[in-house]
Amino acid sequence: MKLLKKKSTPLLKCLVKHHVKGRVRLHCRAFKYLSEFTPVIESKLSANSHIKSVSISTVTSNLLIYYDDGFFPLSRLVEHIETIISNYSVVAFQRERSEKNQLTVNERRLQEEPVGTLVRNVLLSTFSLTFSLIRKSLMRTTVGSIKNFYSFPAIASIVIGRSIFISGFKSLKDAHRPNADTLSAASIIASIISGNPISALTIILLADTAELLTAYTMKHTRKAITSMMSVGEKTVWKQLDDGKLQKINIEEVRKGDVLVAHMGEKISVDGIIVSGEGLIDQSSITGEFMPSSVTKSSQVFAGSIVKNGTIKIKTEKTQNETAAAKIIHMVEEASQNKATVQTMADRFSAQLIPLNFLLGAIVFAVTRSPVRALNMLVIDYSCGLRLSTATALSAAISTGARNGILFKGSNFLESIADADSLIFDKTGTLTQGNPVVESVITASNDIDPKRMIQYAAAAEETSTHPMASAILDKLYAEGFDIPRHTDINIHVARGVETSVEGQTVRVGNEKFMNENGISTINIRDKVHHLALKGENIVYVGVDDKLHGLIGVQDPLRDNMKKAINRLRYIGIDDIVLLTGDQEYQAEIVANRMTLDRFESELLPEDKAKFTLSLQSRGSKVVMVGDGINDAPALAYADVGIALGSKRTDIAMEAADVTITSDDPIMVPQVFTLSRSTMRIIKQNFATSIGINSIGLVLGAAGILPLFWGAFLHNVTTIAVVGNSLRLFFYDLEKRRL
């Protein structure tokens, strides 16, 4: 059961409200957000000769349409309308999300409160409370008098609680509504007037303690991310035109400058190595556990550490342009994107604040007891709900960042927890995105496999095609040499041709072989065998004879099968493969991974449309990809996840979550972290609402003294905030706290 949340109709879904022959009234929530597009939508619908008239109301989100029911069955008409509305889906989704995140009251942003100020307030209130208790034991104070405002605890309460009073008054002035601080300020003033200034100090101390824990969590999150991704070096060595080195500030570095990085230093820019070689640790960017060996022409990233050697780097990106800076900026923006549950907590608590004032008035009217009425102000739901929710989400983002999972906003934590459908791209996501030679099959026993590989490498030496790279990698791995050859002729979409030792070598597809009189009939059974294994087949012919086949395959990522099993275990019902590859390739991968279904030979816009079609049926969709062609689907999905160190910048920009590691096990870990976060938030809601409700009842009955009412409320707040802090210690691998 969702926490205080009713499942709504999908945004783009059209529901039939009333239907008679040739006339139907439909309801679609998207119309509410598309007022300026309604004339265009009406025009597009009216362009169909079988639709007689169309009228859209953005106030009621209804569409009234008269149509030829002899041509248009109702189901087909609804499908036609939904297809047209889907063209405006991005605008509607964005506006709905923005509306959900609008707050009804103005609350203090604890992430903007200096932790030092909150620490000072806690220390001051602790000292003041201790001093007042000692003083009270030695002196009698006047109760129920205006003179109470001149007492030490009263003055201390007003001074220390200054930010509470300012925030509470500002909410009344600007939003014309009380907020949590308005309620706290009222309870502090009422405590002082009733002769209980020590209760006022207690309220402030416990409230400041809870706020300190929340603010510390947010600061720790930002610090953890910045520390993890920090370039670190304030000055760098720049090579001048005369070859000499000059130390300059990092702010002075410009694109094209050549910098020198020595052993033990952090690389400060993104760039290309122009000379030198070394061993670098770039785990903060790519997620690679082992240090990488780099030489001339290797690409390096800011934030990487030179473990061994000295390298010279030509600067391509500086400071805010680097991959590290983009990731830092992306995660720092997370606090701006509130989760629905956080917005709901703020709204729910805001709606209950006036209730506290009303309860106070009712209790006073019935009992004539100012102490009982004051309990209605001292005990409230808002602090515990707001602070614990914000703390939980911030702690989860921090834990994710430490483990290489970067969330753009806390709203995506909640969306992942609600997801029931998962889409995988194939190349570079399910697979490694790096084709390798899996099979080398000769046409007859008298042909040397080594020689065939050398022939193929000679013809492919200058090609940039992935399969050519796989053949060359195979040659180098075996320690073979490329034989001398003549110029290479390229036959587009067929193959390549060269001459080795007077023999014509042709490498390409079956059509290329047949066009040159090379028969492939005798090897058909072996071709079929490789195709069943999902290998792409490269034919190698010498003069007029076929020498054999080379099977090239993009291997599945290590642990991918285990990752999918874990996703099944945690309840992901629908796992789909979308790819631009041919159908037989997609089918083989889908069968190996036991996916529910697949779609092949898709363009990027086709992937986006498929994502929208799932959402239109009410599914909460997560898309996992890594390339430029995945960007539209990543953007359209409820949550887009960019996976792996080879992900493109465009994929990372379009995605809502970035996983820096190449390990697919991180995907189910994102889900478990999100669900654990939402589970803790639910625990906090139940605890805060339950205990404070009991406190209100006991306070109204006169059973719970004012001091203990304040104590119960604030201790509950601290307890739920502390429960949220457990997410700092969440173990992603063991999937438990």
Side-chain angles (χ1 to χ4, degrees):
M1 181 176 172
K2 300 298 181 186
L3 178 66
L4 299 174
K5 185 161 79 173
K6 181 181 178 182
K7 188 172 182 179
S8 60
T9 305
L11 183 63
L12 304 177
K13 184 72 175 175
C14 289
L15 300 178
V16 177
K17 304 295 288 185
H18 182 263
H19 176 232
V20 295
K21 186 176 181 180
R23 178 185 181 275
V24 65
R25 186 183 299 277
L26 302 172
H27 177 79
C28 178
R29 293 194 299 113
F31 288 138
K32 178 181 178 182
Y33 309 103
L34 300 174
S35 57
E36 70 268 41
F37 299 105
T38 52
V40 180
I41 296 173
E42 289 175 346
S43 176
K44 287 183 177 180
L45 288 170
S46 299
N48 190 303
S49 60
H50 299 281
I51 294 179
K52 299 174 182 178
S53 69
V54 179
S55 177
I56 296 175
S57 170
T58 56
V59 176
T60 61
S61 296
N62 287 343
L63 178 151
L64 178 63
I65 190 166
Y66 289 86
Y67 66 101
D68 180 359
D69 60 341
F71 176 83
F72 258 136
L74 182 59
S75 59
R76 185 177 166 193
L77 174 66
V78 171
E79 183 180 346
H80 176 63
I81 295 170
E82 289 178 345
T83 300
I84 291 176
I85 298 172
S86 69
N87 294 320
Y88 308 94
S89 58
V90 173
V91 175
F93 278 124
Q94 288 176 341
R95 291 179 179 178
E96 183 189 45
R97 182 176 293 176
S98 176
E99 181 185 76
K100 286 180 178 179
N101 285 340
Q102 288 178 357
L103 293 180
T104 56
V105 294
N106 295 326
E107 297 287 2
R108 271 184 301 144
R109 290 171 55 84
L110 292 178
Q111 58 266 43
E112 295 174 359
E113 293 275 351
V115 172
T117 300
L118 292 173
V119 171
R120 183 199 64 194
N121 288 349
V122 169
L123 292 176
L124 283 175
S125 51
T126 301
F127 169 79
S128 300
L129 180 59
T130 304
F131 179 79
S132 298
L133 289 171
I134 295 173
R135 187 169 177 269
K136 182 181 179 181
S137 65
L138 301 176
M139 300 174 59
R140 294 184 62 85
T141 57
T142 306
V143 178
S145 170
I146 194 66
K147 293 181 180 179
N148 289 324
F149 280 96
Y150 299 105
S151 66
F152 174 79
I155 294 173
S157 298
I158 294 171
V159 172
I160 298 171
R162 179 174 174 270
S163 60
I164 295 175
F165 288 105
I166 292 174
S167 172
F169 175 75
K170 187 176 180 181
S171 180
L172 288 174
K173 177 186 173 186
D174 297 341
H176 308 295
R177 292 190 57 136
N179 64 3
D181 288 329
T182 309
L183 193 61
S184 297
S187 62
I188 291 169
I189 295 296
S191 295
I192 295 172
I193 292 175
S194 64
N196 293 286
I198 290 179
S199 294
L201 272 176
T202 305
I203 293 170
I204 293 174
L205 171 60
L206 295 174
D208 282 347
T209 301
E211 289 184 357
L212 173 60
L213 292 175
T214 301
Y216 174 78
T217 304
M218 295 175 176
K219 180 180 179 181
H220 190 278
T221 298
R222 291 194 296 268
K223 184 178 178 182
I225 296 165
T226 305
S227 174
M228 179 185 73
M229 305 303 301
S230 175
V231 171
E233 305 293 347
K234 295 182 179 179
T235 59
V236 293
W237 290 101
K238 175 183 175 181
Q239 181 174 282
L240 305 178
D241 294 338
D242 59 4
K244 293 182 180 179
L245 298 183
Q246 178 184 1
K247 182 177 281 191
I248 63 172
N249 292 326
I250 184 64
E251 293 82 6
E252 299 176 37
V253 177
R254 299 292 179 267
K255 185 177 180 180
D257 287 350
V258 176
L259 306 182
V260 180
H262 304 89
M263 185 173 69
E265 294 179 349
K266 275 191 176 182
I267 297 171
S268 305
V269 297
D270 289 1
I272 299 292
I273 296 178
V274 293
S275 70
E277 58 183 28
L279 204 62
I280 65 170
D281 175 5
Q282 50 187 1
S283 57
S284 61
I285 301 295
T286 66
E288 295 179 60
F289 177 73
M290 295 295 292
S292 303
S293 177
V294 292
T295 57
K296 185 177 179 180
S297 299
S298 297
Q299 187 171 21
V300 292
F301 300 98
S304 303
I305 302 171
V306 181
K307 291 292 188 180
N308 194 8
T310 299
I311 54 177
K312 294 181 180 179
I313 306 158
K314 184 177 181 180
T315 303
E316 291 187 329
K317 296 178 182 178
T318 64
Q319 292 185 295
N320 294 333
E321 298 176 337
T322 65
K326 286 181 180 179
I327 294 174
I328 294 171
H329 177 68
M330 179 181 73
V331 182
E332 283 185 336
E333 286 187 331
S335 62
Q336 305 300 320
N337 297 320
K338 281 191 174 184
T340 304
V341 70
Q342 185 175 350
T343 303
M344 184 182 66
D346 292 341
R347 282 182 171 176
F348 182 64
S349 58
Q351 290 165 0
L352 289 177
I353 289 169
L355 178 63
N356 284 92
F357 284 104
L358 180 61
L359 285 174
I362 293 173
V363 169
F364 181 75
V366 173
T367 66
R368 295 297 174 181
S369 169
V371 174
R372 295 189 191 185
L374 186 56
N375 255 330
M376 301 302 100
L377 301 182
V378 167
I379 301 173
D380 75 278
Y381 302 100
S382 60
C383 291
L385 298 182
R386 287 190 308 109
L387 297 182
S388 65
T389 303
T391 302
L393 295 170
S394 183
I397 289 173
S398 178
T399 296
R402 289 199 310 270
N403 290 275
I405 302 170
L406 308 174
F407 293 92
K408 278 187 178 178
S410 58
N411 49 330
F412 302 117
L413 274 163
E414 181 183 17
S415 296
I416 291 171
D418 290 339
D420 53 21
S421 297
L422 182 64
I423 297 173
F424 276 109
D425 169 54
K426 186 176 85 70
T427 305
T429 304
L430 282 178
T431 65
Q432 295 178 9
N434 184 30
V436 297
V437 172
E438 293 284 357
S439 305
V440 178
I441 299 176
T442 58
S444 61
N445 293 331
D446 60 341
I447 296 175
D448 183 6
K450 171 185 174 181
R451 193 62 178 164
M452 190 178 77
I453 288 289
Q454 288 179 307
Y455 280 145
E460 299 279 20
E461 184 176 14
T462 60
S463 175
T464 58
H465 193 280
M467 288 200 284
S469 299
I471 291 171
L472 291 169
D473 288 343
K474 176 70 173 177
L475 178 96
Y476 298 138
E478 297 291 343
F480 304 156
D481 296 322
I482 298 177
R484 296 183 64 178
H485 57 88
T486 60
D487 291 341
I488 297 170
N489 296 319
I490 300 173
H491 301 268
V492 178
R494 287 173 172 78
V496 291
E497 178 183 335
T498 189
S499 179
V500 177
E501 298 173 352
Q503 295 178 300
T504 301
V505 177
R506 297 182 179 90
V507 179
N509 57 26
E510 184 177 18
K511 184 176 182 179
F512 185 47
M513 297 296 115
N514 294 336
E515 287 176 347
N516 288 277
I518 300 174
S519 175
T520 60
I521 295 176
N522 294 335
I523 206 166
R524 287 282 172 82
D525 57 334
K526 294 178 181 177
V527 170
H528 181 68
H529 175 69
L530 294 183
L532 288 176
K533 292 167 61 179
E535 296 180 17
N536 293 284
I537 300 166
V538 179
Y539 292 80
V540 181
V542 179
D543 288 334
D544 59 351
K545 292 184 179 180
L546 182 69
H547 264 221
L549 309 171
I550 297 176
V552 179
Q553 190 174 51
D554 187 5
L556 293 168
R557 283 183 183 269
D558 294 336
N559 286 332
M560 181 53 76
K561 181 64 175 176
K562 185 186 293 185
I564 290 174
N565 288 341
R566 289 190 182 182
L567 288 165
R568 297 280 191 201
Y569 179 76
I570 62 178
I572 303 302
D573 299 326
D574 191 19
I575 303 180
V576 186
L577 170 65
L578 300 185
T579 180
D581 280 355
Q582 296 178 355
E583 182 177 357
Y584 84 93
Q585 289 279 356
E587 184 176 12
I588 289 169
V589 172
N591 289 337
R592 285 185 181 178
M593 294 292 101
T594 62
L595 304 183
D596 294 297
R597 52 209 164 101
F598 69 89
E599 295 288 337
S600 59
E601 301 178 37
L602 300 179
L603 296 173
E605 56 266 32
D606 296 326
K607 293 182 180 181
K609 288 178 181 177
F610 184 88
T611 302
L612 280 173
S613 71
L614 283 181
Q615 292 172 319
S616 68
R617 295 196 292 269
S619 296
K620 299 295 184 182
V621 182
V622 174
M623 166 74 185
V624 183
D626 76 314
I628 294 174
N629 62 334
D630 301 322
L634 289 170
Y636 273 71
D638 293 282
V639 181
I641 300 177
L643 173 66
S645 59
K646 295 179 182 178
R647 67 195 181 278
T648 63
D649 286 345
I650 292 178
M652 191 176 81
E653 290 292 335
D656 307 304
V657 180
T658 297
I659 298 175
T660 60
S661 169
D662 283 312
D663 189 354
I665 288 295
M666 298 296 285
V667 176
Q669 288 177 353
V670 169
F671 279 83
T672 55
L673 174 61
S674 300
R675 292 183 175 185
S676 294
T677 302
M678 298 310 298
R679 185 170 61 251
I680 281 180
I681 289 173
K682 291 176 182 179
Q683 291 172 359
N684 293 340
F685 264 72
T687 301
S688 184
I689 292 173
I691 294 179
N692 283 308
S693 295
I694 293 172
L696 285 172
V697 172
L698 294 178
I703 298 173
L704 189 68
L706 178 63
F707 174 83
W708 290 109
F711 184 83
L712 175 69
H713 160 66
N714 287 287
V715 167
T716 301
T717 299
I718 293 174
V720 292
V721 170
N723 187 43
S724 296
L725 282 172
R726 293 193 299 140
L727 285 164
F728 265 134
F729 311 103
Y730 185 83
D731 190 323
L732 284 176
E733 183 59 35
K734 295 180 179 178
R735 292 169 282 169
R736 67 186 184 203
L737 295 166

